[in-house]
Amino acid sequence: MMGTREKEEASLVPFPSSQHTERNAAFLGIALGICFTACFVTGLLSHLIQHPPSWFTWPSRPAWGYRVTQGIHVTTGIASIPLLLAKLWVVGPKFFTWPPVRGVAHALERASLLPLVAGSLFLLVSGVINTARFYPWGFYFPKAHYTAAWITIGALIVHISLKAATTRSALRKAPPAEATTTEGSRRWFIASAAGAAGLFAMATVGQTLKILSPLSALGQRIPGFGPQGVPVQKTARGAGVKVDVANYHLRVTGKVERKLQLSLSELQALPQRTAELTIACVEGWSTTATWRGVTVRELLDLAGAPSDATVRVISSERRGPYRTSELNASHSNDLDTLLALELNGEALHVDHGAPVRLIGPNRPGVMQTKWVREIRVV
Ligand SMILES: Nc1nc2c(c(=O)[nH]1)N[C@H]1C(S)=C(S)[C@@H](COP(=O)(O)O)O[C@H]1N2
Ligand SMILES: [Mo]
């Protein structure tokens, strides 16, 4: 049931409805709080993995770790879209209240809404555009997305602390007995918002869980679709890479006892290892395949590199943010961290990084460097 003020507020919006209630706002707020927190934590983690400060080490195990954390990031982000739209619609009348400010606490609360709403909308829109692999802003995207995440989470903390009491009392208040119709339609309203969030989530998870892939309307990649049964992120042509297999050499350089330069046939003559490994893209899709090649540790031993070495993997791609990646000691010592020569039983396809690409357990896709030409111990 609506109070007098709520009724007045509701009459100010173009679509008066019995759903502009504190209770709906509270339910949606809690759902959004959970999704935003999960999305923020997993996003922060992804950032730390890709730009590790000295106090942070991302281990190479469990192999499925990044697939799960980034899957949660993209899925909770996408599920937030219908929840946020529903929440904005429910609280819509409040934006039109008069007087606009009723004291200090109210002023603070309203002021925190601007970064909260603007930040949330920016994060969701830029995230979706990113998963759609449309980067109108070049490399600016991760930085802007990351900065906006901190602003939004800060505003969210302020918002939650100011709204905690309202939320608690809105949820405690038993729905009045005479208002069964309203209560019924409220349930229906919340169920639709939750249902839409669930559908969006399922349609997203389909790009990483094969069993849901028929529902993957929002997925950008289909597991199992692409050369050698694996989707391609960037083609060799798109990366401007021309591969000359006959003259190819892999170099092992940097702080080593012996610098190495190995042709493809020399690499093929080394012991080969097979592993089931996953490409888990930051964009949320993932796919697991059978990879075969030389263990990075094998090459480091041949070159006489120390076992605690950090290793920079460098592509023959000339430009672009993903032309190099780093292996911390956990990854460079993991025997499943490979310089792959084969994928699903065939020589690696050029779009998957032929003749040699890095592939290892528990790494973001962006750090599975393709067209590797140099391993530098730093
Ligand atoms: N040199 C290079 N390596 C790269 C990339 C790239 O653009 N250049 N893209 C990365 C990204 S974002 C992903 S998700 C994986 C995808 O590998 P795939 O195209 O074989 O599926 O490769 C990674 N390796
Ligand atoms: Mo990626």
Side-chain angles (χ1 to χ4, degrees):
M1 252 232 304
M2 288 192 289
T4 327
R5 193 162 74 217
E6 279 174 332
K7 245 178 227 154
E8 275 166 17
E9 285 169 355
S11 68
L12 283 167
V13 280
F15 304 101
S17 154
S18 59
Q19 298 303 330
H20 302 289
T21 64
E22 294 282 12
R23 218 169 142 81
N24 278 342
F27 272 113
L28 290 167
I30 287 171
L32 273 169
I34 293 168
C35 283
F36 270 41
T37 305
C39 199
F40 178 73
V41 171
T42 49
L44 189 61
L45 185 64
S46 183
H47 183 88
L48 288 172
I49 297 167
Q50 292 173 65
H51 311 279
S54 55
W55 52 267
F56 181 86
T57 322
W58 180 245
S60 67
R61 301 284 157 170
W64 43 263
Y66 187 78
R67 178 185 175 200
V68 169
T69 65
Q70 192 62 11
I72 290 172
H73 181 70
V74 174
T75 306
T76 51
I78 286 183
S80 296
I81 295 169
L83 295 176
L84 182 66
L85 293 177
K87 169 97 179 187
L88 286 175
W89 183 79
V90 165
V91 300
K94 292 198 175 286
F95 293 115
F96 299 91
T97 50
W98 202 262
V101 169
R102 294 190 299 267
V104 178
H106 189 231
L108 189 62
E109 186 215 307
R110 297 213 92 180
S112 74
L113 287 179
L114 182 67
L116 183 59
V117 175
S120 303
L121 290 174
F122 174 79
L123 285 171
L124 297 181
V125 169
S126 63
V128 165
I129 288 176
N130 183 239
T131 63
R133 290 217 315 144
F134 171 57
Y135 299 81
W137 33 62
F139 313 139
Y140 174 54
F141 162 79
K143 208 164 198 159
H145 196 73
Y146 180 72
T147 310
W150 280 105
I151 294 170
T152 309
I153 212 76
L156 183 62
I157 290 168
V158 172
H159 184 70
I160 288 174
S161 38
L162 292 170
K163 283 294 189 180
T166 320
T167 304
R168 229 175 287 132
S169 75
L171 293 180
R172 211 182 298 121
K173 235 185 281 164
E178 72 274 18
T180 33
T181 353
T182 314
E183 176 57 13
S185 59
R186 185 192 67 78
R187 289 232 171 94
W188 197 87
F189 176 79
I190 289 291
S192 324
L199 273 179
F200 273 44
M202 273 202 330
T204 311
V205 173
Q207 61 191 326
T208 173
L209 288 185
K210 253 199 183 124
I211 191 167
L212 288 178
S213 73
L215 295 173
S216 178
L218 299 177
Q220 299 305 315
R221 293 291 182 287
I222 305 159
F225 189 79
Q228 303 178 317
V230 172
V232 164
Q233 172 60 306
K234 196 196 261 177
T235 59
R237 180 199 278 248
V241 172
K242 285 203 186 69
V243 182
D244 179 2
V245 174
N247 292 311
Y248 175 80
H249 285 281
L250 176 73
R251 276 180 268 278
V252 184
T253 63
K255 291 193 181 132
V256 292
E257 285 164 20
R258 296 167 291 281
K259 295 203 163 127
L260 303 178
Q261 184 162 327
L262 300 157
S263 69
L264 194 55
S265 49
E266 286 170 320
L267 282 170
Q268 284 159 342
L270 291 173
Q272 306 287 307
R273 185 176 169 97
T274 306
E276 294 288 314
L277 293 164
T278 302
I279 293 177
C281 184
V282 293
E283 293 162 7
W285 63 270
S286 83
T287 192
T288 300
T290 308
W291 302 85
R292 186 170 167 79
V294 181
T295 293
V296 167
R297 189 65 249 170
E298 174 89 24
L299 285 175
L300 295 177
D301 286 344
L302 279 176
S307 65
D308 61 348
T310 298
V311 176
R312 177 166 287 276
V313 180
I314 302 164
S315 172
S316 51
E317 183 183 3
R318 293 246 184 73
R319 264 178 298 170
Y322 310 142
R323 57 181 294 279
T324 76
S325 69
E326 265 188 14
L327 295 165
N328 65 27
S330 170
H331 287 263
S332 70
N333 288 323
D334 193 305
L335 295 182
D336 277 351
T337 301
L338 304 179
L339 287 167
L341 308 172
E342 286 179 26
L343 166 54
N344 286 337
E346 296 169 10
L348 201 58
H349 189 283
V350 66
D351 290 338
H352 286 306
V356 174
R357 77 95 52 90
L358 177 72
I359 182 90
N362 202 20
R363 293 174 71 70
V366 296
M367 296 171 77
Q368 310 276 30
T369 310
K370 304 199 276 194
W371 313 292
V372 175
R373 71 166 162 82
E374 184 179 334
I375 301 278
R376 192 183 297 161
V377 177
V378 293

